[in-house]
Amino acid sequence: AQSVTQPDIHITVSEGASLELRCNYSYGATPYLFWYVQSPGQGLQLLLKYFSGDTLVQGIKGFEAEFKRSQSSFNLRKPSVHWSDAAEYFCAVGGAGNNRKLIWGLGTSLAVNP
Amino acid sequence: DGGITQSPKYLFRKEGQNVTLSCEQNLNHDAMYWYRQDPGQGLRLIYYSQIVNDFQKGDIAEGYSVSREKKESFPLTVTSAQKNPTAFYLCASSIGDSSGNTIYFGEGSWLTVV
């Protein structure tokens, strides 16, 4: 079955510390992978996406993610977290098909301690 | 500024009443989507539309209805048949429904049944 797993429901880090949010997927075809961020009570904003090519993808706000096919993972990283990064982060996977068929993870809530 | 506008931000409904959530986009996007978001359940697709005067059911369409009379507008009606309508509703759009097109989200509408 196709699925996306974000193993960490909630993560707390100190400001300035590094961050890694995990995303594992199960998908039968070549995946398109996405990370979105959602501030409380707001819509989602695309951080970055991977379709093909370089497996290390750079996104907005200093985030990057690495696609590892052998591990079926697409983990999101940031070297130094800012207080404004506190939000909910969603991983999603799709194929060379339609947006309406995107499979969404349940999200990871990030808290940042000052 | 270009974007997706959802209104109202907060809405209270009495049981047995229908309510309509507005979604307007000025991005000139063909594809539009409605998602429901509940705590711990991620995003679930209610309806989508790839073109004016056409729309299709998503994964949880029961108790909801939509229309797409104009390219920029995709209102969602939550009917009295929806047994558990209290949720956060997100409208989204993309240039086309292909997975290669970024999905842009509105800021959401909170619906509470009282």
Side-chain angles (χ1 to χ4, degrees), chain A residues 36-65:
Chain A
Y36 282 81
V37 61
Q38 182 181 32
S39 297
Q42 302 296 315
L44 281 72
Q45 181 183 22
L46 180 69
L47 285 174
L48 48 77
K49 59 187 178 183
Y50 171 80
F51 291 163
S52 64
D54 192 346
T55 56
L56 185 62
V57 181
Q58 301 298 320
I60 63 171
K61 304 186 181 187
F63 285 92
E64 66 177 26

Side-chain angles (χ1 to χ4, degrees), chain A residues 56-76:
Chain A
L56 185 62
V57 181
Q58 301 298 320
I60 63 171
K61 304 186 181 187
F63 285 92
E64 66 177 26
E66 186 171 12
F67 170 54
K68 293 186 177 180
R69 184 186 299 274
S70 62
Q71 299 178 19
S72 297
S73 70
F74 188 56
N75 294 348
L76 182 71

Side-chain angles (χ1 to χ4, degrees), chain B residues 6-58:
Chain B
Q6 290 187 239
S7 63
K9 179 69 174 180
Y10 300 96
L11 187 60
F12 296 88
R13 188 196 91 174
K14 293 183 178 180
E15 284 193 22
Q17 290 181 338
N18 293 352
V19 63
T20 297
L21 306 180
S22 171
C23 178
E24 302 279 333
Q25 55 99 357
N26 61 5
L27 301 169
N28 200 32
H29 285 175
D30 284 316
M32 296 189 74
Y33 313 85
W34 274 105
Y35 290 93
R36 172 177 171 145
Q37 188 176 26
D38 296 279
Q41 294 198 44
L43 274 69
R44 292 184 290 170
L45 183 65
I46 304 172
Y47 267 98
Y48 65 93
S49 169
Q50 296 185 74
I51 197 169
V52 175
N53 292 324
D54 182 65
F55 49 83
Q56 303 295 330
K57 294 180 179 180

Side-chain angles (χ1 to χ4, degrees), chain A residues 32 34 36 38 41-44 46 49 51 90 95 97-100 102 104-106, chain B residues 9 33 37 40-41 45 48 50 88 90 94 97-103 105-107:
Chain A
Y32 289 9
F34 307 81
Y36 282 81
Q38 182 181 32
Q42 302 296 315
L44 281 72
L46 180 69
K49 59 187 178 183
F51 291 163
F90 291 92
N98 310 106
N99 278 337
R100 65 181 181 269
L102 278 180
W104 295 84
L106 300 187
Chain B
K9 179 69 174 180
Y33 313 85
Q37 188 176 26
Q41 294 198 44
L45 183 65
Y48 65 93
Q50 296 185 74
F88 188 53
L90 287 161
S94 59
D97 191 38
S98 167
S99 296
N101 299 315
T102 299
I103 299 177
F105 286 84
E107 295 200 343

Side-chain angles (χ1 to χ4, degrees), chain A:
Chain A
Q2 299 173 342
S3 64
V4 175
T5 301
Q6 294 181 242
D8 304 304
I9 296 174
H10 185 84
I11 285 181
T12 300
V13 299
S14 297
E15 190 167 18
S18 63
L19 171 71
E20 183 170 33
L21 302 181
R22 296 182 291 165
C23 174
N24 298 106
Y25 67 89
S26 173
Y27 198 78
T30 301
Y32 289 9
L33 295 154
F34 307 81
W35 274 102
Y36 282 81
V37 61
Q38 182 181 32
S39 297
Q42 302 296 315
L44 281 72
Q45 181 183 22
L46 180 69
L47 285 174
L48 48 77
K49 59 187 178 183
Y50 171 80
F51 291 163
S52 64
D54 192 346
T55 56
L56 185 62
V57 181
Q58 301 298 320
I60 63 171
K61 304 186 181 187
F63 285 92
E64 66 177 26
E66 186 171 12
F67 170 54
K68 293 186 177 180
R69 184 186 299 274
S70 62
Q71 299 178 19
S72 297
S73 70
F74 188 56
N75 294 348
L76 182 71
R77 302 193 295 248
K78 186 169 185 178
S80 178
V81 172
H82 188 262
W83 63 266
S84 61
D85 293 323
E88 190 89 15
Y89 292 80
F90 291 92
C91 180
V93 63
N98 310 106
N99 278 337
R100 65 181 181 269
K101 294 183 179 178
L102 278 180
I103 301 166
W104 295 84
L106 300 187
T108 296
S109 177
L110 174 66
V112 180
N113 287 333

